[in-house]
Every structure is written in structure tokens, then in C-alpha cells.
């Protein structure tokens, strides 16, 4: 689409109205995953492996089955045996099945091995103790570097796909290599080359709502599923495959969702609840405990990375190279390819090479977490850049500006950028009062850029007008953070009726066509684009009704401010006809008026951000305080700016947790040591400062209003920006996350020799 | 295990239920009284999503047994609004976009209301420490703290 077709003057878009679901959510009325029940409902509970790696020799559930409160017990045998195993991600349904209920082996601490349905939640929990499992414990590995070593236990033979070169350990299951130019020649041209190694630990998305669902599946193969999910169509498709039923026979309704951040893009308990329901012939509800959430749902990958960058004295980068090893649990899927592709994406480089490894270990199956893979790579790359700036005495923003990718740059991962906003974010950073503010003793400042692709994905939207001129909009992307408001704003903009007259519903799988998951920062972009197009479709039909009424050609009618108006030679011949006047008679003038849009939009438009962070390190305790934080990010066009700011602030806060505190801690026995919020500490209100935001708007040519997704880019820069701030405050380079107090104390001690 | 009979007051209504002595107040509110406004985010007293007041005191209802509620006066998020009239905090949370997913919101609102009843003029730091027991993973707390501070200012002006 040419930019000239893009709308740039708005009446509703860019305002900050109350969200349509606000009242429900402040009164406790909104129904989240665990907030429903059904007549005759049973409660499910899942038995989990206490071992990191063990052969399941025998499961004896006879005692549980004999208990009067227990109505069903399921194991792997109760799921479909027709789901094919394939290498890599080609057999993702099999991978999900294997994760949802273990087959021959338990692959991590917390892996589901059996489940029960009983008459109460307490009875279900008690019944788990009656199931006897014989395990043959096997050697395990949880560290990414150790999992790639020659002597590492093999988690699953045959899991590696075609991309993996000969000679690597079978735990390496996917391989990515890309770049352009000649890095060796580039390093030769540099005045200074810095090469360093970095690690990050796995963190959890940490949504406050645990997974929850209510399932009903009858002997007729027809089912109903209510669950908290980022994508109910993928839940539908996956559950149908795992249970061996037809997709269309399972209707899935998404509850309100209490956070996901990527972690609710797949299924965990849903197929189990359906299997229990099928067996017991009653509805079954399963709600995970927090500890189950930590032990058995998607943390991020952990990473081990080597980065080498060459720079001239004037700050220009001559070459860059990165090797990124990501551990993603006992299944293929760690986004080593994403890490590699994003790592150098902010820079316009002549010589660049990046390699990514997807490595399996005895940990839970990694799941997406906001820009999956990108924050780790940015941490390594932007740390090396900071070190180069320090050693060459250069300003970190100037150096980034000098090397920044711009419109027409060839991206490190291949394509050529269209219109992008990185330079604008850096210029805003340079001009921001934060960047010029003096630092107190003991404080350091850090800068980092970040990149994320953004995503379009399959999308269906339907809009129906009512007789009284109000509109109902059906979208298929669960509302994670105010998307009903932005959809209504976009529809109001096109229809020209008040925002309040539009009711947005997240439709279930039976009432709308397929929709991809709410992920990839795609909701405002793709559901928004579809909403605009569906509304335009309805407008065409409204104009046609007006044309028929006036007896003029359809193309002689245009839509202005909520009214059909005659245009061209007929201009001024008739009074403008408001939407409600047309809909009032629609039954008699041709029937209901609706608009639809179904497509896979491809122009998501990449997004960049720049963060400025001040940190203060207490040399006595090693504790870091974040004293000031500024997020600058390109939104393309902010539809509801308050929720855009919220995405920026939330991403920064999660990044602060990842950088300073959060980590999966495994014992020698391969068991997770910190599976409650007391021990896995996410940032609380008293840990954080206010988080300033600057919304940059460089329109995305691929969206009618210029929108770029904003959900994910915000978590890419924080790890590096905070590490740079801490390193500058402490006078020592921090290479391992999280920068917990003991780590910082050790680094300070090493610095002082 | 035989169940125990509990009579209590919730949001001004007298209610009775039978509960297993192992069930928490949160379980009883949600499963027996159908008051699902209070949420279980952790079950271990670490997230505050289950916040309610008991005889005016802020507690994590996941840490209190249902049987302990006997004879007490419980207030939950469902009782915050007076009929159609939202509590000023509820109004301000919507206006400030102080919720994204909204799962933490009931607990945060109950806790913030308890703060303002105790301290109508909190500093930002006091508000941050008071709400440190309420985890929010979405907002970074910025808009929550602003909404609470601004409500406090409005309520002081009104009184
Ligand atoms: S559920 Fe009670 S504090 Fe988390
Ligand atoms: S708004 Fe989602 S946890 Fe607070």
C-alpha cells in the first residue's frame, strides 16, 4: 500500500477513552479461566515427575481408581496414538502431546505422568497420592553448554532436523546460520576488536493467572472447552489432534486472560481435562497451582553466547559475529534462530555473521516470552558495544546513531528495511533530559537498542450493524491488555460513529473463522487491520443502500463522518444520510448489513526501541536499584496511547526482573529449587521507579493507519541497558544474568583483586 | 473429613456455608459463595491477588482458613462499588489504564482502599511499599501508583 493511501488525520484514533471491559475488571465481574463452574463438574489434578529424567517403568493407578470420589484416571494411553513423531518442529503436535502427558520417559522435574478427576479439588489432590509410579532414574542435564558436550545424556534420538550439521550432539536439534559480507576481513579493518561471552538464565513469563480450564467431551466426539489462552483456535486444533477428534466438533471459548506474554500460546492442561471428561462423562475443571506453573509451563530458554565486534576509532562497526546457544527444555523449539536474526538487526553492517543453536535439556518445554530469543542476543551484543564505546571513549548514543539501520538498509538477517524508526528513537534518546541528567556517585547509565520483527498471522474479523445504528465487532484475538478499546477506536474511525456505540466481543471458535494466537505483537496490527477492512466493507454496503435510495451509481456515494453523501456530479443533491438512518430500514432495503475480513496480512512492520537506564549499586550488599528508566519506542501509530505506554512500561519492568533477580535455579538433582513467587521474585512496586515513555510514530506502510505492534520490542533492550548501567556503576563488566547481589559482590571482589 | 458450618458476613450480607477444615477463605469465597472477584495467583501469600479485608484488616484470603471466617466481617472487591457508583479508585483505575490484563486489579484495589483508609495522604514511597504485596506482571506499576496517588488527592479534596 502506498503511504499516500494511509490515513494520518484521526478523530478517534490517538485518544484515550475508558476501555469497554473496564467496569467488569474493576468490579470483579470479569470471568477469568478459573472463574467458571458447571453442573456435575469434577476437579482434575495432575501427577508430576519428581525426577529430571527417568524411564516410566510402570504406573499403577488401581488404588486411585477404586476410591469412591475418583471418577477417572488418565495416562498417555488415553490420548491419540495417531499423532506422528517428526524431527524438529515438524512434529509439533507430537512434541506438545509428549509435554502434556509423558510417554516412555519423564523428561523434566514436573513433567505430567498421570491425572485424576474427582468430586472435589481436595479429593483429586488426595487421589494423586494413591497412584504408584515406578521410575528408573536416568542421568540428566539442565545446562545448555553441558547439554551440547560429548558426554551429555541423550534426551531423545532423532529429534534433530535437517538443519543440524554432522557431528553435533543429538541434543542439538536445530541450527541457523546467516549474515553477509566477510567478517574476517572486517575484523582486520578494525582499530579495536572486543570478544566476550555471556549467559542468561531461564525466566518465567510470570503471568499472575495460573492456567485454568473447564472441559466437556462426550462419547459423540463433541466437546466444549473454556480456557485462559492467547489463542483459542490453536487450542482447538491442538486438543482435537491430541484427542483424535474432529477440530470443528470442539468449541473453544477464551476466558478473560490474566496475562500470557507468550506463555499461553500453547496447551498444557486442556487436553488432559478433555481426556478426563471423556472418560468420566462429566465436565472437568483443572486449575494449576503456582508451583505447577513454574515447574511445567513455559519458561524462556537459557542462553550461552559469544559475541565479537570490530570498531574503528570513529565508532563505525567493521564486522560483527555472534554465536548463540539456547536451551529450550526437553523439546525442540528454543529460538536460537530468532536470537541470531535479531541480535545485530538494529545496525547497518557490511560484514555480519550469526549462528544459532536449538539445544534440548531436562527442563520444561520453553514457551515464547515477549520477542522470544531477542532479549538474550541484545544483551550480549549491546554489552560488547558498550565496552567498545568505553574503551574508545565514544558516546554510546552517537555510536549507535552512526551505525543505525535506516530505510533501505540491508538487515543483518537478510531483507531490506522499508520505513523504520530506529534513528528517530536514538535522536529522541539524545535529546531526552534523562540522557543529559547528572549521575550521582555510585550510579551508572546504560543504553541499549532493541529490535523485533512483529507478526501478521491468520486473522478473521466480523462486524455487524444493528438497526439502531450501533455496531458489534467480533474479533478472534483474546484481549490481553486493552485491545477491545483499540479495536473499537479503529472501527469508530472508519464508521464515523461514537466509540461507545461499538461493542467488541472476543468470539469463540464456533462463531468466527480461524485466528492465530494473540502473539507476535500482532493484535493491534492484524486484528486492527482486519477491523478496519471489515468496517470498510460494511461502509461499502451502506453506501450502496444510499445509492439505491437516491437512484445514483454506487461509486457516486462516499462516506464522511458517519454519513453517506452524494459526491461528484451529484454532490449536494441529497442530504447526508446518517448510518442509523440506513440501518433503521436495512431489513426492507436488502437485509442485514455486515462487514467481514479474512486474510493473513504480511506487512507487520518491524519495530525498534532505545532504552536509557540509571542504576545504583550498593557496594556493601551488591543490591542494585534502578533509579531512572526511559523507554523510547516506535509504535508506528499509537491507537490508544495509554495502553501503548502500558506495554512499554510492562516490558521494561519484566526486563528489570530478568536482569536483576529472576532465574530458574536447578539443584544437582535436576529439580527446580524456586517454584513459588517467594523464591522466584518478580519486581514489586517498591522495587521500581516510574517508567517514562516516549512514543515515536514512524508509520508502518503495511497498515492502513500506520500501526506497528508494540507488545514485544519493549523487553528487548532492558537486559543490556541495565547490564550496561550496572557495569558502568560498578566499574566491572557484568556478563551473566541475573545480576543478583551475590554475583555483583563477587564481581566487585574480582575487580578489586 | 466432615465439614464444618460457618456463618459470616460478606460485603454486608450474612452468609453460611459448609467447608472442609483444609479449605481456605479464598476457596470458600470463590467455590461456595461464587464470589470469584478475589483471585488465586499463588496460594502462598506472595501475590496479593486474593486480597480481602477481615474486620477491616487487609489479609491474603489464601492464607486464612474458611473456618476462621466464622463471625467475621469480610469485604471483597465485589462490595467496593455502592450500587452503580464505583469507588473512586475503581473509576480512576479505568481512567488511568492502571490495568492491562486485570487479574491483579481486584487485589490491588482492595489493598489500595485499605491504604487510603489508613493513610489518606501517602507519599509515593509509602504507596509503593504498601502495594509491594500485590504483584502485577503487566503494568510495571507506574499507572497503578499514579491512579492511587491521584485518587488519594481527589478524596482529600472531597472530604
Ligand atoms: S493467592 Fe493469596 S497471595 Fe497469592
Ligand atoms: S494488569 Fe495484569 S497482572 Fe496487573
Amino acid at each position: 500500500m502506498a503511504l499516500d493511501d494511509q490515513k494520518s488525520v484521526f478523530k478517534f484514533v490517538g485518544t484515550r477513552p475508558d476501555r469497554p471491559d473496564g467496569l467488569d475488571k474493576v468490579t470483579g465481574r470479569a470471568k477469568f479461566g478459573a472463574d467458571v463452574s458447571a453442573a456435575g463438574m469434577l476437579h482434575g489434578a495432575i501427577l508430576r515427575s519428581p525426577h529430571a529424567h527417568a524411564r516410566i517403568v510402570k504406573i499403577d493407578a488401581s488404588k486411585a481408581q477404586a476410591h469412591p470420589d475418583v471418577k477417572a484416571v488418565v495416562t498417555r494411553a488415553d490420548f491419540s496414538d495417531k499423532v506422528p513423531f517428526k524431527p524438529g518442529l515438524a512434529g509439533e503436535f507430537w512434541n506438545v502431546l509428549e509435554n502434556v502427558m509423558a510417554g516412555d520417559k519423564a523428561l523434566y522435574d514436573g513433567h505430567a505422568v498421570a491425572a485424576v478427576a474427582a468430586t472435589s479439588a481436595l479429593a483429586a489432590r488426595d487421589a494423586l497420592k494413591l497412584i504408584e509410579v515406578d521410575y528408573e532414574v536416568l542421568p540428566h542435564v539442565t545446562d545448555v553448554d553441558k547439554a551440547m558436550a560429548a558426554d551429555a545424556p541423550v534426551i531423545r534420538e532423532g529429534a534433530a532436523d535437517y538443519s543440524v550439521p554432522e557431528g553435533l550432539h543429538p541434543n542439538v536439534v536445530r541450527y541457523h546460520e546467516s549474515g553477509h559480507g566477510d567478517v574476517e576481513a572486517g575484523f582486520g579493518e578494525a582499530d579495536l576488536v572486543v570478544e566476550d561471552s555471556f549467559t542468561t538464565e531461564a525466566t518465567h513469563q510470570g503471568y499472575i493467572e495460573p492456567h485454568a480450564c473447564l472441559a466437556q467431551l462426550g462419547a459423540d466426539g463433541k466437546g466444549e472447552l473454556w480456557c485462559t489462552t492467547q489463542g483459542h483456535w490453536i487450542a482447538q486444533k491442538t486438543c482435537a489432534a491430541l484427542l483424535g477428534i474432529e477440530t470443528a466438533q470442539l468449541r473453544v471459548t477464551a476466558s478473560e486472560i490474566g496475562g500470557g506474554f507468550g506463555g499461553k500460546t500453547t496447551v498444557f492442561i486442556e487436553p488432559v481435562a478433555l481426556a478426563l471428561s471423556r472418560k468420566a462423562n462429566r465436565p472437568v475443571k483443572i486449575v494449576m497451582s503456582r508451583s505447577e506453573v513454574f515447574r511445567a509451563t513455559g519458561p524462556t530458554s537459557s542462553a550461552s553466547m559469544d559475541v565479537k565486534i570490530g570498531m574503528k576509532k570513529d565508532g563505525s562497526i567493521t564486522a560483527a559475529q555472534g554465536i548463540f546457544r539456547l536451551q529450550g527444555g526437553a523439546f525442540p523449539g528454543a529460538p536460537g534462530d530468532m536470537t541470531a536474526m535479531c541480535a545485530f538487526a538494529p545496525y547497518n553492517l557490511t560484514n555480519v555473521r550469526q549462528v544459532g543453536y536449538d539445544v534440548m535439556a531436562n527442563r520444561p518445554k520453553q514457551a515464547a516470552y515477549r520477542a522470544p530469543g531477542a532479549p538474550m542476543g541484545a544483551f550480549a551484543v549491546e554489552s560488547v558495544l558498550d565496552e567498545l564505546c568505553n574503551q574508545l571513549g565514544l558516546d554510546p548514543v552517537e555510536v549507535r546513531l552512526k551505525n543505525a539501520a535506516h530505510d533501505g538498509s540491508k538487515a543483518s538477517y537478510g531483507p531490506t528495511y522499508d520505513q523504520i524508526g530506529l534513528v528517530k528513537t536514538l535522536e529522541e534518546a539524545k535529546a531526552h533530559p534523562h540522557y543529559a541528567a547528572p549521575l550521582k556517585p555510585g550510579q551508572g547509565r546504560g543504553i541499549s537498542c532493541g529490535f523485533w520483527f512483529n507478526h501478521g498471522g491468520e486473522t478473521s474479523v466480523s462486524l455487524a450493524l444493528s438497526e439502531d445504528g450501533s455496531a458489534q465487532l467480533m474479533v478472534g484475538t483474546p484481549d490481553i491488555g486493552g485491545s477491545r478499546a483499540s479495536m473499537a477506536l479503529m472501527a469508530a474511525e472508519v464508521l464515523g460513529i461514537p466509540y461507545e456505540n461499538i461493542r467488541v466481543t472476543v468470539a469463540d471458535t464456533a462463531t468466527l473463522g480461524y485466528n492465530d494466537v494473540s502473539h507476535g505483537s500482532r493484535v493491534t496490527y492484524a486484528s486492527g487491520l482486519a477491523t478496519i477492512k471489515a468496517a470498510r466493507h460494511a461502509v461499502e454496503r451502506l453506501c450502496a443502500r444510499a445509492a439505491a435510495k437516491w437512484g445514483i451509481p454506487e461509486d457516486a456515494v462516499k462516506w464522511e463522518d458517519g454519513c453517506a453523501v452524494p459526491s461528484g456530479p451529484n454532490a449536494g443533491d441529497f442530504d447526508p444520510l446518517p448510518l442509523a438512518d440506513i440501518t433503521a430500514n436495512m431489513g426492507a432495503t436488502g437485509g442485514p448489513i455486515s462487514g467481514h475480513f479474512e486474510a493473513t496480512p504480511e506487512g507487520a512492520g518491524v519495530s525498534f526501541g532505545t532504552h536509557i537506564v540509571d542504576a545504583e549499586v550498593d557496594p556493601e550488599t551488591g543490591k542494585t536499584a534502578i533509579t531512572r528508566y526511559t523507554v523510547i519506542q516506535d509504535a508506528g501509530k499509537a491507537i490508544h496511547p495509554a495502553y501503548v505506554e502500558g506495554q512499554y512500561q510492562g516490558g521494561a519492568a519484566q526486563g528489570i526482573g530478568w536482569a536483576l533477580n529472576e532465574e530458574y535455579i536447578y539443584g544437582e538433582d535436576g529439580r527446580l529449587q524456586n517454584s513459588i513467587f517467594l523464591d522466584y521474585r518478580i519486581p514489586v512496586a517498591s522495587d521500581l521507579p516510574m517508567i517514562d515513555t516516549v512514543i515515536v510514530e514512524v508509520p508502518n506502510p503495511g497498515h492502513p493507519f500506520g500501526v506497528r505492534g508494540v507488545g514485544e520490542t519493549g523487553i528487548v533492550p532492558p537486559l543490556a541497558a541495565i547490564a550496561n548501567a550496572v557495569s558502568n556503576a560498578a566499574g566491572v563488566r557484568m556478563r551473566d544474568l541475573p545480576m543478583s547481589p551475590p554475583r555483583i559482590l563477587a564481581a566487585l571482589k574480582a575487580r578489586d583483586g | 473429613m466432615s465439614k464444618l458450618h460457618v456463618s459470616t458476613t460478606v460485603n454486608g450480607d450474612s452468609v453460611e456455608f459448609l467447608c472442609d477444615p483444609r479449605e481456605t477463605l479464598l476457596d470458600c469465597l470463590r467455590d461456595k459463595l461464587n464470589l470469584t472477584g478475589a483471585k488465586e495467583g499463588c496460594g502462598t501469600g506472595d501475590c496479593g491477588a486474593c486480597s480481602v479485608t477481615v474486620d477491616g484488616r487487609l489479609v491474603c484470603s489464601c492464607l486464612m482458613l474458611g473456618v476462621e471466617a466464622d463471625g467475621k466481617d469480610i469485604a471483597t472487591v465485589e462490595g467496593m462499588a455502592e450500587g452503580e457508583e464505583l469507588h473512586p479508585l475503581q473509576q480512576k483505575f479505568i481512567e488511568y489504564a492502571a490495568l492491562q490484563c486485570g487479574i491483579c486489579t481486584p487485589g490491588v484495589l482492595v489493598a489500595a482502599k485499605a491504604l487510603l483508609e489508613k493513610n489518606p495522604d501517602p507519599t509515593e514511597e509509602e504507596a509503593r511499599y504498601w502495594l509491594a504485596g500485590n504483584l502485577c506482571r503487566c503494568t510495571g506499576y507506574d499507572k497503578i501508583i499514579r491512579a492511587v496517588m491521584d485518587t488519594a488527592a481527589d478524596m482529600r479534596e472531597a472530604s
Side-chain angles (χ1 to χ4, degrees), chain A residues 35 205 645 662 683 691, chain B residues 30 39 41 137 141-143:
Chain A
D35 296 344
Q205 296 80 353
E645 291 161 7
E662 297 178 32
I691 295 166
Chain B
R30 291 178 54 84
K39 309 296 179 191
R137 191 58 156 173
Y141 306 103
D142 183 299
K143 292 183 191 301

Side-chain angles (χ1 to χ4, degrees), chain A residues 328-602:
Chain A
F331 307 86
D337 46 354
M338 299 289 154
T339 308
M341 287 194 271
C342 295
F344 299 106
Y347 303 108
N348 186 20
L349 303 171
T350 318
N351 306 302
V352 59
R353 180 173 175 270
Q354 54 248 338
V355 175
Y357 294 89
D358 172 358
V359 185
M360 300 206 304
N362 293 109
R363 296 197 189 205
K365 187 177 193 299
Q366 70 83 37
Y369 180 19
R370 261 189 156 140
M376 302 81 154
F379 162 57
V381 167
E382 300 277 331
S383 294
V384 170
L385 275 182
D386 196 60
E387 197 54 40
L388 284 158
C389 293
N390 288 352
Q391 291 188 29
L392 292 171
L394 299 169
D395 177 86
V397 170
E398 290 295 351
V399 164
R400 284 171 174 83
L401 265 172
K402 189 173 194 94
N403 295 288
H406 42 76
D407 306 3
S409 296
K410 182 175 166 64
S412 54
Y413 61 96
T416 299
Y417 289 126
D418 202 325
Q419 181 163 286
I420 57 171
L422 174 62
V423 169
K424 191 84 193 297
T425 67
L426 281 161
E427 281 167 352
E428 291 280 350
K430 201 167 116 181
H432 198 281
H434 182 174
Y435 196 54
L439 288 167
K440 296 205 188 91
Q443 295 185 340
R445 179 161 296 151
I447 298 289
S448 174
C449 295
F451 161 88
W452 182 245
F453 306 97
N454 292 337
H455 181 59
E458 292 173 65
T459 310
S460 314
V461 160
S462 186
L463 180 143
L465 296 171
S466 311
E467 259 182 15
D468 61 2
S470 58
Q472 51 189 49
L473 178 66
M474 272 114 0
V475 299
T477 38
D479 181 351
I480 295 197
S483 60
R484 284 184 185 88
S486 48
M487 296 307 138
L489 282 167
M490 286 185 265
E493 194 71 51
V494 176
L495 296 172
I497 60 172
Y499 166 84
E500 293 74 22
N501 292 6
I502 299 166
R503 166 132 192 186
V504 186
T505 301
V506 179
D508 63 56
T509 57
T511 48
L512 193 65
Y514 188 85
N515 275 274
D516 269 345
V517 177
S518 292
H519 72 157
S521 301
R522 77 178 210 91
V523 174
T524 318
Y525 167 70
S527 274
L529 177 145
T531 294
I532 292 166
K533 301 224 167 170
R536 285 181 179 167
H537 185 212
V539 161
E540 274 168 36
R541 304 175 76 177
L542 287 161
C543 288
R545 300 286 168 99
K549 178 178 167 130
W550 292 330
I552 63 174
E554 283 180 23
D555 59 5
V557 179
K558 58 181 186 177
W559 193 254
E560 258 176 28
D561 227 3
C563 299
V565 270
S567 71
N570 305 98
D573 288 358
F574 308 97
D575 285 343
L577 195 55
L579 184 144
D581 288 6
I582 304 174
T583 53
N585 297 315
M586 65 186 174
T589 60
I593 301 177
S594 306
H596 303 276
F597 185 78
E598 292 89 20
T600 304
E602 298 287 354

